Amino acid sequence: MLLQHSALYTLARGLPGLINFAALAIYTRLLAPEEYGHYALVIAAVGLANAVLFQWLNLGLLRYLVRYQDRKPIFLSTLVAGYLAVVLLSAMLGLVLWSFWPEAKMRALIGLGILFLWAQALFDANLQMASSQLTPQRYGLLAITKSLISLTLGGALAWWGWGAAGVLWGLIGGLILAVVLWAREEWRHLSPHNIDKRLMGQLLSYGLPLTATFALTFVVSSSDRLLLGWLQGSHSAGLYAVGYDLPNQTLGVLMMVVHLAAYPLAVHALEQKGRGAAQVQLKKNAIGLLSIALPATVGLVLLAPNIAQVVLGVEFRKAAVALSFWIALASLLAGIKAYYFDLAFQLGQRTIVQVWIALVAATINLLLNLWLIPKLSIMGAAYGTVCAYLSALVLSMVLGRRYFKLPIPGYESLKVLGATLVMGFALWPLLSLEGLMGLSIQVFVGMVSYGLFVLVFNVADSRTLLFNRLFPERRIL
């Protein structure tokens, strides 16, 4: 069941990731950089508000729903009471923000941003409920339905001239319709008489410390575009957001897929067989993560000009190519930290240390952005992001060893590096190819050359496993 659920969650994450990639291609052709900048600023602000205001509810839902399964109406009624209290608070904060925001066009989007915040929080709660109840099918239906409706509706409204507002309306519609279609039955037995004050306190005490980690991590990933919007204007924020999202979403989906499949296996090994078995599994996880992330990073950097030409609108291409190396590197560092080295704190049950690491990274990111953005514009934001993620990775590697020693597969990592270098040499003569056909050839050659030398170097015993599968009668032990 563990492997089956991992595969289903991989599908549930992978398909929306592909749809979001298509959305990036469509929106950069329908929106000017300034309009996309307005959209990106709203997305960033809502993401930060969601992390600070609503994340404690979702974390509490994931942690305690199973414990209160026999008192589910009481649990959900208490959860909704907390949700409504935060909705009221966010409405008041939104009204204050609307009253004092200087730019008229952004002020008109603040109301939409508040609606988007509420819809996102409701959607996230239903995703967490599906995960907690071990129903990956419903999780996938929610995620895929939301992405499809959001892209269809948002793309149509943007094409009709609604601009950033149209894309936001599409997102709001996708979030709400997905919940109505697949999760409305979960909320049938709500009642104000079922609210439990002690349970509300429990949700707060559990969720608030972890919320700090989410909020600080979000500062590192999104404060740069907010500061760009403030210091350089919406045009620069739009260019940066597209140049950031193209490599970050691609690598993020690939690394998340590996994590979803691998992390439950490590937890299972730890709980069932102890630390030794967990470390054996974690070594396999590390090799799997690096063997996907490293070649993908190198491929994105080498093919950045053609990827930008095929995927992005004309006005966004130059900035995306300039940012590609630095954002791909930052995304690689962030993914290795989050999906491998941070596991030391989670498996060692010392997640509070992650808050301090996130605080250091967020401080470095803010200070560097304030210093570099006025001098270097979008490139300054990229340099600040790389420095912040690098410092966070080093801290996670050093401090994590105190609580749970993670294996470092040095020899296997060199094999992955060798296969990746071969892929780079194979792609080098093809870098002049352009267009969709050229990109298809480049991707095919890259995948084949890399895959071939993964087998040649026998990365993670891949050649042995393949031989045993093809020739079971001549099995190699």
Side-chain angles (χ1 to χ4, degrees):
M1 180 178 290
L2 187 61
L3 290 172
Q4 179 186 4
H5 282 193
S6 297
L8 289 170
Y9 281 122
T10 298
L11 183 65
R13 287 282 189 172
L15 284 179
L18 291 174
I19 296 169
N20 292 337
F21 191 78
L24 189 65
I26 293 170
Y27 294 154
T28 55
R29 285 170 167 79
L30 295 176
L31 302 178
E34 185 175 4
E35 278 288 343
Y36 197 97
H38 289 143
Y39 162 71
L41 289 173
V42 172
I43 294 295
V46 167
L48 179 59
N50 189 31
V52 172
L53 297 175
F54 288 98
Q55 197 60 237
W56 63 276
L57 289 165
N58 292 329
L59 292 168
L61 171 61
L62 185 62
R63 174 64 179 84
Y64 292 114
L65 180 59
V66 174
R67 179 180 297 183
Y68 287 91
Q69 192 64 40
D70 57 340
R71 301 171 59 202
K72 190 174 178 181
I74 293 175
F75 182 84
L76 293 182
S77 296
T78 304
L79 191 81
V80 169
Y83 177 87
L84 293 176
V86 178
V87 164
L88 181 60
L89 174 62
S90 60
M92 292 188 292
L93 293 174
L95 183 60
V96 172
L97 188 63
W98 179 86
S99 301
F100 289 96
W101 195 272
E103 188 180 353
K105 195 160 189 177
M106 279 299 296
R107 193 163 60 242
L109 294 175
I110 288 175
L112 273 180
I114 295 298
L115 290 176
F116 175 44
L117 171 64
W118 297 342
Q120 184 69 59
L122 176 64
F123 179 79
D124 289 345
N126 282 279
L127 279 184
Q128 298 285 32
M129 189 181 302
S131 180
S132 178
Q133 294 177 331
L134 300 179
T135 53
Q137 298 89 344
R138 180 151 55 89
Y139 186 105
L141 288 170
L142 282 164
I144 294 168
T145 301
K146 171 257 177 181
S147 296
L148 284 173
I149 294 176
S150 297
L151 176 57
T152 303
L153 182 57
L157 292 175
W159 184 69
W160 286 331
W162 287 42
V167 179
L168 290 171
W169 275 118
L171 284 170
I172 294 167
L175 292 165
I176 293 174
L177 287 174
V179 172
V180 169
L181 287 172
W182 304 115
R184 64 184 185 276
E185 295 298 319
E186 294 288 345
W187 308 94
R188 289 180 301 171
H189 303 295
L190 301 178
S191 170
H193 303 293
N194 287 332
I195 297 172
D196 187 328
K197 293 181 180 179
R198 191 173 70 172
L199 173 57
M200 182 69 75
Q202 190 175 22
L203 293 172
L204 279 165
S205 63
Y206 174 79
L208 287 181
L210 290 173
T211 292
T213 302
F214 279 94
L216 291 168
T217 302
F218 190 88
V219 168
V220 179
S221 65
S222 296
S223 65
D224 41 14
R225 61 194 72 186
L226 292 172
L227 288 171
L228 273 166
W230 174 43
L231 297 170
Q232 301 272 304
S234 299
H235 184 274
S236 294
L239 293 176
Y240 182 79
V242 171
Y244 188 101
D245 288 344
L246 181 59
N248 184 64
Q249 288 185 8
T250 304
L251 287 172
V253 167
L254 292 174
M255 298 176 84
M256 172 63 80
V257 162
V258 177
H259 176 70
L260 285 171
Y263 180 59
L265 298 176
V267 174
H268 182 77
L270 178 64
E271 296 297 331
Q272 298 295 323
K273 301 177 183 178
R275 287 201 171 204
Q279 288 175 333
V280 171
Q281 182 60 51
L282 284 164
K283 184 177 181 180
K284 296 178 182 178
N285 294 0
I287 298 167
L289 185 66
L290 189 65
S291 65
I292 294 296
L294 186 60
T297 302
V298 172
L300 282 169
V301 173
L302 289 176
L303 304 182
N306 200 22
I307 293 173
Q309 181 184 7
V310 171
V311 175
L312 303 179
V314 176
E315 295 177 276
F316 296 88
R317 293 172 187 170
K318 184 178 179 180
V321 174
L323 290 167
S324 60
F325 171 79
W326 297 102
I327 300 303
L329 176 60
S331 301
L332 176 65
L333 296 174
I336 291 174
K337 171 191 174 292
Y339 299 135
Y340 190 64
F341 287 103
D342 278 358
L343 302 187
F345 306 112
Q346 297 163 27
L347 297 176
Q349 302 183 67
R350 290 300 301 270
T351 53
I352 188 64
V353 181
Q354 289 181 257
V355 176
W356 298 110
I357 293 175
L359 178 60
V360 171
T363 302
I364 291 172
N365 185 248
L366 284 173
L367 292 176
L368 288 177
N369 279 335
L370 289 170
W371 177 43
L372 294 174
I373 286 175
K375 298 175 182 292
L376 303 172
S377 189
I378 61 174
M379 296 308 300
Y383 300 152
T385 299
V386 171
C387 291
Y389 280 130
L390 178 60
S391 63
L393 173 60
V394 171
L395 286 172
S396 185
M397 290 173 65
V398 173
L399 298 178
R401 296 178 67 83
R402 300 179 182 180
Y403 309 110
F404 195 101
K405 189 174 181 179
L406 297 174
I408 308 295
Y411 183 56
E412 292 295 321
S413 298
L414 289 176
K415 292 182 183 179
V416 172
L417 178 61
T420 302
L421 288 174
V422 171
M423 181 196 75
F425 286 125
L427 286 174
W428 196 262
L430 306 177
L431 296 184
S432 60
L433 296 179
E434 295 182 347
L436 181 59
M437 181 58 70
L439 183 60
S440 300
I441 293 171
Q442 291 167 331
V443 171
F444 177 76
V445 170
M447 292 176 64
V448 170
S449 59
Y450 176 72
L452 177 63
F453 275 83
V454 163
L455 294 175
V456 169
F457 296 145
N458 199 26
V459 175
D461 292 326
S462 55
R463 186 178 68 241
T464 303
L465 292 171
L466 180 62
F467 183 88
N468 290 342
R469 177 63 62 89
L470 295 176
F471 306 103
E473 71 282 357
R474 299 165 58 188
R475 186 176 182 85
I476 300 175
L477 298 178

